[in-house]
Amino acid sequence: MSREVWSVAPAATPAGPSTPRPDGSTTLTSETATPPFGTRLRRFASRETTGGALLIGAAVLALICANAPWREAYFALSEAVLGFDRLGPLSVHLDLTVAEWAADGLLAIFFFVVGVELKHEFVAGSLRSPKEAGVPMLAAVGGMAVPAILYSVIVVVLGEPGALQGWAIPTATDIAFALGVLAVFGKGLPAAVRTFLLTLAVVDDLLAIIVIAVFYTSDLDFGYLAAALAVIVVFGLVVRSRRPYWWMLVPLFAVAWAFMHASGVHATVAGVLMGFTVAARPMHGEAEPRTHRYERAVKPWSQGVALPVFAFFAAGVDLVDGGGVTEILGQPVVPAITIGLVVGKLIGVLGTTALVTRLTPLRLAQGIGVRDLLPVGFLAGIGFTVALLVSELSFGHASEHTEGAKAAILLGSVIAAVLGALTLRWDARRARTPDMNLDGVDDAVADFIGDEKDRKEH
């Protein structure tokens, strides 16, 4: 590892010629040398397909453990308390269960990556031009509003108004899971479909962060909040300095997280804010923006460790004890969340896109039409990670609605993923017109999901 935090090796270059030795033999140049195992492992963990597979695997393992003969050990581990409540005269509230450490602590790493991605997209990426990003941004808003409305209506109609506090659960989109399904089943579609989904999911995450910060903050302590913001400012100064040493940034990250947690604001917000401080344009004579470097360096830890561990402790639904499957699936929150994720997201994304492209000058990117957004609407219904987090924040660990909410998130996400995969293959096989986005100009599409360039980048 270099002296700068989380620095990674440069991308592999194309194979070059062999280099002659003095004795007349030849050897491969560095261009063809096999990358170190650590580099290959980081690349593997950063792939979209890997992230989705690890999430699925962790969720399946959690369900097995939660319903196996050893389930008491699983739940005992999940509820085991680690940490301390006080640090000298200060009350720091760090006596958390293992499940809470996974949700509040490890997810801060995931949200740091989200913050870095958001920063880059706003400064130099797809969100820098509202005109270009207008359609997916508005689709994200519609894709959050419709599921929330459907959820609220269903729980009231089914006679459970006390569950209204979970209205935000079906509004989230899991970026890693959704992009993983797209990478596997969307081969042959224009790369602009991925850009649309990524933009939608990024805006979705931003709105989810705002929802968490505004609606799931209790007993706000302004002293700790001010301390957290002060440390985040210091983190930002260090991360933008000429030599941002990792042994300075990691402790600052931990301290800012701890202060944010003690303030009453959900601690993952600290991760997002620190991600926002990373420079999105090259500085100090560097060849690339630090947002790219930090995303490459931290994403393997986010996708390979933080998200699977969180899923393992969050997705364990006990279907054996108590009333069993019938009682859990009979809760009003189950159809509300499932319909919100599968139907609400689809209607919100497709309906908003159709209205925006017909009633305003905004258009979809070249090469994609409203037809391509049918699978995107289903993929947006894969809530999973953020939805599980919001369910914990909405109902807590001991609520009667928590198990039903988790079961609904898993069920809805699986249905949305399957329907997304099927419609992706259907869409990829259909013939495409010269002007898919109906802007009066023939599309110039050169990049497709699954082609050689796409495989190298994703």
Side-chain angles (χ1 to χ4, degrees):
M1 182 178 290
S2 71
R3 299 180 70 186
E4 290 188 358
V5 63
W6 299 315
S7 175
V8 296
T13 54
S18 59
T19 302
R21 290 177 174 174
D23 61 2
S25 62
T26 60
T27 182
L28 293 177
T29 65
S30 60
E31 291 180 334
T32 59
T34 302
F37 174 75
T39 300
R40 285 181 282 131
L41 183 61
R42 285 195 298 270
R43 291 176 183 171
F44 174 76
S46 297
R47 290 175 183 168
E48 294 166 355
T49 50
T50 302
L54 289 175
L55 276 177
I56 295 172
V60 171
L61 183 59
L63 285 173
I64 293 173
C65 290
N67 296 278
W70 59 84
R71 58 184 175 278
E72 290 185 4
Y74 168 79
F75 288 111
L77 174 63
S78 180
E79 297 301 322
V81 177
L82 300 176
F84 44 87
D85 180 53
R86 302 192 67 83
L87 185 61
L90 297 177
S91 178
V92 292
H93 311 294
L94 292 179
D95 51 338
L96 307 176
T97 66
V98 172
E100 289 172 336
W101 277 112
D104 294 359
L106 287 179
L107 276 194
I109 301 173
F110 164 71
F111 277 100
F112 174 80
V113 175
V114 170
V116 169
E117 291 176 341
L118 281 170
K119 176 66 175 292
H120 185 81
E121 293 302 321
F122 276 120
V123 175
S126 61
L127 299 180
R128 72 185 184 278
S129 170
K131 183 177 180 180
E132 295 179 6
V135 177
M137 289 175 70
L138 292 172
V141 175
M144 292 188 74
V146 176
I149 293 170
L150 277 178
Y151 174 93
S152 301
V153 170
I154 291 171
V155 294
V156 170
V157 170
L158 295 180
E160 197 65 59
L164 279 172
Q165 65 215 60
W167 62 270
I169 296 173
T171 64
T173 296
D174 190 299
I175 295 179
F177 205 155
L179 289 178
V181 175
L182 178 63
V184 173
F185 296 98
K187 294 176 181 178
L189 291 175
V193 175
R194 174 189 279 107
T195 303
F196 187 100
L197 176 61
L198 180 60
T199 303
L200 183 151
V202 164
V203 174
D204 194 303
D205 273 351
L206 176 61
L207 295 176
I209 291 162
I210 294 172
V211 167
I212 290 171
V214 173
F215 294 98
Y216 297 101
T217 296
S218 59
D219 301 325
L220 187 63
D221 187 311
F222 288 99
Y224 279 123
L225 179 60
L229 295 177
V231 177
I232 290 171
V233 170
V234 176
F235 180 94
L237 293 174
V238 175
V239 83
R240 299 174 72 89
S241 65
R242 184 172 293 276
R243 294 186 179 277
Y245 298 111
W246 71 266
W247 47 264
M248 295 178 65
L249 289 173
V250 172
L252 286 171
F253 187 98
V255 172
W257 175 90
F259 280 141
M260 189 67 74
H261 175 79
S263 74
V265 178
H266 198 267
T268 52
V269 174
V272 177
L273 295 178
M274 284 184 277
F276 278 147
T277 66
V278 180
R281 296 190 186 280
M283 58 191 308
H284 302 300
E286 296 167 343
E288 65 174 346
R290 292 186 178 181
T291 46
H292 282 167
R293 291 170 48 203
Y294 279 72
E295 181 186 356
R296 283 203 308 269
V298 184
K299 197 169 186 177
W301 294 98
S302 172
Q303 288 196 163
V305 178
L307 291 180
V309 172
F310 166 74
F312 176 72
F313 287 107
V317 181
D318 187 349
L319 302 174
V320 177
D321 299 320
V325 178
T326 303
E327 181 176 313
I328 291 176
L329 297 184
Q331 295 182 27
V333 297
V334 173
I337 293 172
T338 305
I339 293 173
L341 287 173
V342 180
V343 179
K345 278 288 188 180
L346 181 67
I347 294 175
V349 171
L350 277 177
T352 303
T353 301
L355 288 174
V356 167
T357 53
R358 291 182 182 181
L359 302 180
T360 74
L362 295 176
R363 290 292 179 270
L364 292 166
Q366 286 193 0
I368 63 174
V370 174
R371 175 189 101 193
D372 299 309
L373 302 189
L374 176 63
V376 169
F378 283 126
L379 295 180
I382 303 175
F384 209 72
T385 305
V386 180
L388 288 170
L389 173 61
V390 175
S391 70
E392 295 277 355
L393 297 175
S394 299
F395 301 127
H397 295 292
S399 170
E400 60 179 332
H401 302 304
T402 303
E403 295 295 284
K406 289 182 178 181
I409 292 167
L410 297 176
L411 178 62
S413 295
V414 169
I415 294 174
V418 171
L419 292 176
L422 293 174
T423 51
L424 281 170
R425 296 316 305 149
W426 164 81
D427 188 25
R429 293 189 181 102
R430 291 191 63 191
R432 309 188 70 81
T433 64
D435 183 18
M436 289 293 295
N437 64 348
L438 303 178
D439 63 351
V441 179
D442 284 355
D443 300 325
V445 181
D447 299 325
F448 297 88
I449 297 173
D451 62 16
E452 183 177 357
K453 177 182 177 183
D454 185 73
R455 290 195 301 272
K456 289 181 179 179
E457 293 180 351
H458 301 282

PDB file of all heavy atoms in Angstrom, residues 15-21 25-34:
ATOM      1  N   ALA A  15      -1.746  -6.267 -23.268  1.00  0.00           N
ATOM      2  CA  ALA A  15      -0.542  -7.072 -23.382  1.00  0.00           C
ATOM      3  C   ALA A  15       0.421  -6.465 -24.383  1.00  0.00           C
ATOM      4  O   ALA A  15       0.032  -5.989 -25.444  1.00  0.00           O
ATOM      5  CB  ALA A  15      -0.901  -8.497 -23.796  1.00  0.00           C
ATOM      6  N   GLY A  16       1.706  -6.468 -24.055  1.00  0.00           N
ATOM      7  CA  GLY A  16       2.718  -5.916 -24.934  1.00  0.00           C
ATOM      8  C   GLY A  16       3.674  -6.998 -25.383  1.00  0.00           C
ATOM      9  O   GLY A  16       3.558  -8.170 -25.044  1.00  0.00           O
ATOM     10  N   PRO A  17       4.714  -6.611 -26.124  1.00  0.00           N
ATOM     11  CA  PRO A  17       5.671  -7.606 -26.621  1.00  0.00           C
ATOM     12  C   PRO A  17       6.572  -8.095 -25.506  1.00  0.00           C
ATOM     13  O   PRO A  17       6.696  -7.491 -24.456  1.00  0.00           O
ATOM     14  CB  PRO A  17       6.461  -6.807 -27.670  1.00  0.00           C
ATOM     15  CG  PRO A  17       6.378  -5.379 -27.173  1.00  0.00           C
ATOM     16  CD  PRO A  17       5.015  -5.258 -26.569  1.00  0.00           C
ATOM     17  N   SER A  18       7.228  -9.232 -25.771  1.00  0.00           N
ATOM     18  CA  SER A  18       8.169  -9.755 -24.797  1.00  0.00           C
ATOM     19  C   SER A  18       9.458  -8.944 -24.845  1.00  0.00           C
ATOM     20  O   SER A  18       9.769  -8.291 -25.836  1.00  0.00           O
ATOM     21  CB  SER A  18       8.454 -11.230 -25.089  1.00  0.00           C
ATOM     22  OG  SER A  18       8.977 -11.360 -26.388  1.00  0.00           O
ATOM     23  N   THR A  19      10.222  -9.002 -23.745  1.00  0.00           N
ATOM     24  CA  THR A  19      11.465  -8.242 -23.644  1.00  0.00           C
ATOM     25  C   THR A  19      12.660  -9.189 -23.742  1.00  0.00           C
ATOM     26  O   THR A  19      12.729 -10.162 -22.985  1.00  0.00           O
ATOM     27  CB  THR A  19      11.524  -7.500 -22.313  1.00  0.00           C
ATOM     28  OG1 THR A  19      10.382  -6.646 -22.236  1.00  0.00           O
ATOM     29  CG2 THR A  19      12.794  -6.664 -22.200  1.00  0.00           C
ATOM     30  N   PRO A  20      13.592  -8.941 -24.680  1.00  0.00           N
ATOM     31  CA  PRO A  20      14.745  -9.848 -24.814  1.00  0.00           C
ATOM     32  C   PRO A  20      15.694  -9.700 -23.636  1.00  0.00           C
ATOM     33  O   PRO A  20      15.895  -8.611 -23.112  1.00  0.00           O
ATOM     34  CB  PRO A  20      15.395  -9.398 -26.123  1.00  0.00           C
ATOM     35  CG  PRO A  20      14.986  -7.961 -26.271  1.00  0.00           C
ATOM     36  CD  PRO A  20      13.617  -7.863 -25.673  1.00  0.00           C
ATOM     37  N   ARG A  21      16.268 -10.829 -23.203  1.00  0.00           N
ATOM     38  CA  ARG A  21      17.279 -10.831 -22.151  1.00  0.00           C
ATOM     39  C   ARG A  21      18.665 -10.824 -22.793  1.00  0.00           C
ATOM     40  O   ARG A  21      18.821 -11.150 -23.974  1.00  0.00           O
ATOM     41  CB  ARG A  21      17.120 -12.070 -21.268  1.00  0.00           C
ATOM     42  CG  ARG A  21      15.875 -12.046 -20.405  1.00  0.00           C
ATOM     43  CD  ARG A  21      15.783 -13.340 -19.643  1.00  0.00           C
ATOM     44  NE  ARG A  21      14.680 -13.319 -18.692  1.00  0.00           N
ATOM     45  CZ  ARG A  21      14.293 -14.362 -17.971  1.00  0.00           C
ATOM     46  NH1 ARG A  21      14.929 -15.520 -18.108  1.00  0.00           N
ATOM     47  NH2 ARG A  21      13.301 -14.265 -17.122  1.00  0.00           N
ATOM     48  N   SER A  25      17.226 -15.116 -24.443  1.00  0.00           N
ATOM     49  CA  SER A  25      15.870 -15.552 -24.117  1.00  0.00           C
ATOM     50  C   SER A  25      14.982 -14.346 -23.954  1.00  0.00           C
ATOM     51  O   SER A  25      15.445 -13.195 -23.986  1.00  0.00           O
ATOM     52  CB  SER A  25      15.883 -16.384 -22.829  1.00  0.00           C
ATOM     53  OG  SER A  25      16.336 -15.592 -21.749  1.00  0.00           O
ATOM     54  N   THR A  26      13.706 -14.589 -23.821  1.00  0.00           N
ATOM     55  CA  THR A  26      12.745 -13.492 -23.678  1.00  0.00           C
ATOM     56  C   THR A  26      11.960 -13.661 -22.394  1.00  0.00           C
ATOM     57  O   THR A  26      11.844 -14.752 -21.851  1.00  0.00           O
ATOM     58  CB  THR A  26      11.755 -13.463 -24.867  1.00  0.00           C
ATOM     59  OG1 THR A  26      11.067 -14.692 -24.897  1.00  0.00           O
ATOM     60  CG2 THR A  26      12.484 -13.221 -26.172  1.00  0.00           C
ATOM     61  N   THR A  27      11.434 -12.555 -21.938  1.00  0.00           N
ATOM     62  CA  THR A  27      10.566 -12.567 -20.761  1.00  0.00           C
ATOM     63  C   THR A  27       9.430 -11.603 -20.985  1.00  0.00           C
ATOM     64  O   THR A  27       9.560 -10.652 -21.765  1.00  0.00           O
ATOM     65  CB  THR A  27      11.346 -12.171 -19.492  1.00  0.00           C
ATOM     66  OG1 THR A  27      10.463 -12.252 -18.370  1.00  0.00           O
ATOM     67  CG2 THR A  27      11.844 -10.719 -19.561  1.00  0.00           C
ATOM     68  N   LEU A  28       8.332 -11.840 -20.363  1.00  0.00           N
ATOM     69  CA  LEU A  28       7.192 -10.965 -20.512  1.00  0.00           C
ATOM     70  C   LEU A  28       7.480  -9.612 -19.872  1.00  0.00           C
ATOM     71  O   LEU A  28       8.128  -9.526 -18.829  1.00  0.00           O
ATOM     72  CB  LEU A  28       5.956 -11.585 -19.843  1.00  0.00           C
ATOM     73  CG  LEU A  28       5.426 -12.849 -20.503  1.00  0.00           C
ATOM     74  CD1 LEU A  28       4.252 -13.397 -19.682  1.00  0.00           C
ATOM     75  CD2 LEU A  28       4.981 -12.594 -21.926  1.00  0.00           C
ATOM     76  N   THR A  29       7.015  -8.558 -20.486  1.00  0.00           N
ATOM     77  CA  THR A  29       7.146  -7.229 -19.897  1.00  0.00           C
ATOM     78  C   THR A  29       6.153  -7.089 -18.772  1.00  0.00           C
ATOM     79  O   THR A  29       5.263  -7.906 -18.577  1.00  0.00           O
ATOM     80  CB  THR A  29       6.866  -6.135 -20.956  1.00  0.00           C
ATOM     81  OG1 THR A  29       5.500  -6.256 -21.348  1.00  0.00           O
ATOM     82  CG2 THR A  29       7.771  -6.294 -22.168  1.00  0.00           C
ATOM     83  N   SER A  30       6.265  -5.986 -18.045  1.00  0.00           N
ATOM     84  CA  SER A  30       5.342  -5.729 -16.935  1.00  0.00           C
ATOM     85  C   SER A  30       3.921  -5.575 -17.410  1.00  0.00           C
ATOM     86  O   SER A  30       2.975  -5.738 -16.645  1.00  0.00           O
ATOM     87  CB  SER A  30       5.778  -4.467 -16.166  1.00  0.00           C
ATOM     88  OG  SER A  30       5.780  -3.351 -17.039  1.00  0.00           O
ATOM     89  N   GLU A  31       3.774  -5.250 -18.720  1.00  0.00           N
ATOM     90  CA  GLU A  31       2.430  -5.069 -19.247  1.00  0.00           C
ATOM     91  C   GLU A  31       1.650  -6.378 -19.259  1.00  0.00           C
ATOM     92  O   GLU A  31       0.434  -6.383 -19.208  1.00  0.00           O
ATOM     93  CB  GLU A  31       2.498  -4.490 -20.666  1.00  0.00           C
ATOM     94  CG  GLU A  31       3.011  -3.047 -20.682  1.00  0.00           C
ATOM     95  CD  GLU A  31       3.060  -2.507 -22.085  1.00  0.00           C
ATOM     96  OE1 GLU A  31       3.187  -3.318 -23.028  1.00  0.00           O
ATOM     97  OE2 GLU A  31       2.959  -1.297 -22.260  1.00  0.00           O
ATOM     98  N   THR A  32       2.365  -7.524 -19.373  1.00  0.00           N
ATOM     99  CA  THR A  32       1.669  -8.802 -19.438  1.00  0.00           C
ATOM    100  C   THR A  32       1.770  -9.577 -18.133  1.00  0.00           C
ATOM    101  O   THR A  32       1.248 -10.674 -18.039  1.00  0.00           O
ATOM    102  CB  THR A  32       2.246  -9.661 -20.575  1.00  0.00           C
ATOM    103  OG1 THR A  32       3.646  -9.849 -20.326  1.00  0.00           O
ATOM    104  CG2 THR A  32       2.052  -8.993 -21.920  1.00  0.00           C
ATOM    105  N   ALA A  33       2.466  -9.022 -17.141  1.00  0.00           N
ATOM    106  CA  ALA A  33       2.625  -9.716 -15.866  1.00  0.00           C
ATOM    107  C   ALA A  33       1.277  -9.843 -15.174  1.00  0.00           C
ATOM    108  O   ALA A  33       0.428  -8.956 -15.251  1.00  0.00           O
ATOM    109  CB  ALA A  33       3.598  -8.949 -14.979  1.00  0.00           C
ATOM    110  N   THR A  34       1.086 -10.981 -14.502  1.00  0.00           N
ATOM    111  CA  THR A  34      -0.150 -11.201 -13.766  1.00  0.00           C
ATOM    112  C   THR A  34      -0.205 -10.255 -12.569  1.00  0.00           C
ATOM    113  O   THR A  34       0.768 -10.180 -11.803  1.00  0.00           O
ATOM    114  CB  THR A  34      -0.221 -12.653 -13.273  1.00  0.00           C
ATOM    115  OG1 THR A  34      -0.141 -13.514 -14.403  1.00  0.00           O
ATOM    116  CG2 THR A  34      -1.517 -12.896 -12.520  1.00  0.00           C
TER     117      THR A  34
END
